Amino acid sequence: LSQLGLEASLGGFCREIARAHALKVQFEAKNIPRVLPEDVSLCVYRIAQESLQNVVKHSDASIASVTIERKGDEIRLIVSDNGRGFDPEAARSQESLGLISMEERIRVVKGQLNVVSVIGSGTRVIVDVPAT
């Protein structure tokens, strides 16, 4: 991650997931600086990693999409899938380690995490973190 940068590292991870599982992973990056603060890059990468691993383990999705882009002073990550979806509030009340981990990572870099999921309609994980 520190050698290749966020865009190349995340693109490579998406290709690995697609090769290893019966999942089409679409990856798109827009205006991502080659150099970002290490804590920001690591946060975005780890949340994308956790999100895609959750897609593989739990969603029964056939397609996932990962988009990262710089919007003003922020980096936005969106990971979505066409899977079965889940109830995010129920997962939080059951203290899902994946969601807790993502929330902790976001808190450290003063970002925002939004998980939108409807049973039967897939999931979107949306992350906004300061780029500086």
Side-chain angles (χ1 to χ4, degrees), residues 24-100:
K24 179 178 180 183
V25 181
Q26 301 166 333
F27 176 71
E28 183 177 12
K30 299 177 190 169
N31 304 318
I32 300 300
R34 170 78 172 83
V35 177
L36 286 167
E38 188 175 322
D39 58 344
V40 169
S41 290
L42 186 59
C43 173
V44 172
Y45 183 82
R46 293 291 185 217
I47 290 175
Q49 196 175 39
E50 176 72 27
S51 298
L52 279 176
Q53 289 169 341
N54 285 340
V55 170
V56 169
K57 289 180 196 174
H58 306 295
S59 76
D60 262 347
S62 60
I63 300 172
S65 172
V66 177
T67 303
I68 54 170
E69 65 181 310
R70 183 171 188 157
K71 290 189 152 222
D73 293 337
E74 292 188 327
I75 299 295
R76 171 168 274 191
L77 166 73
I78 301 173
V79 180
S80 60
D81 68 67
N82 68 343
R84 71 173 82 171
F86 69 102
D87 180 347
E89 290 308 313
R92 280 188 184 90
S93 70
Q94 295 170 358
E95 298 186 352
S96 164
L97 291 180
L99 285 177
I100 290 170

Side-chain angles (χ1 to χ4, degrees), residues 79-123:
V79 180
S80 60
D81 68 67
N82 68 343
R84 71 173 82 171
F86 69 102
D87 180 347
E89 290 308 313
R92 280 188 184 90
S93 70
Q94 295 170 358
E95 298 186 352
S96 164
L97 291 180
L99 285 177
I100 290 170
S101 169
M102 287 191 247
E103 289 168 346
E104 286 300 316
R105 287 186 185 283
I106 284 294
R107 197 175 351 269
V108 169
V109 297
K110 297 178 177 53
Q112 293 183 327
L113 170 72
N114 189 15
V115 178
V116 180
S117 187
V118 176
I119 294 173
S121 296
T123 300

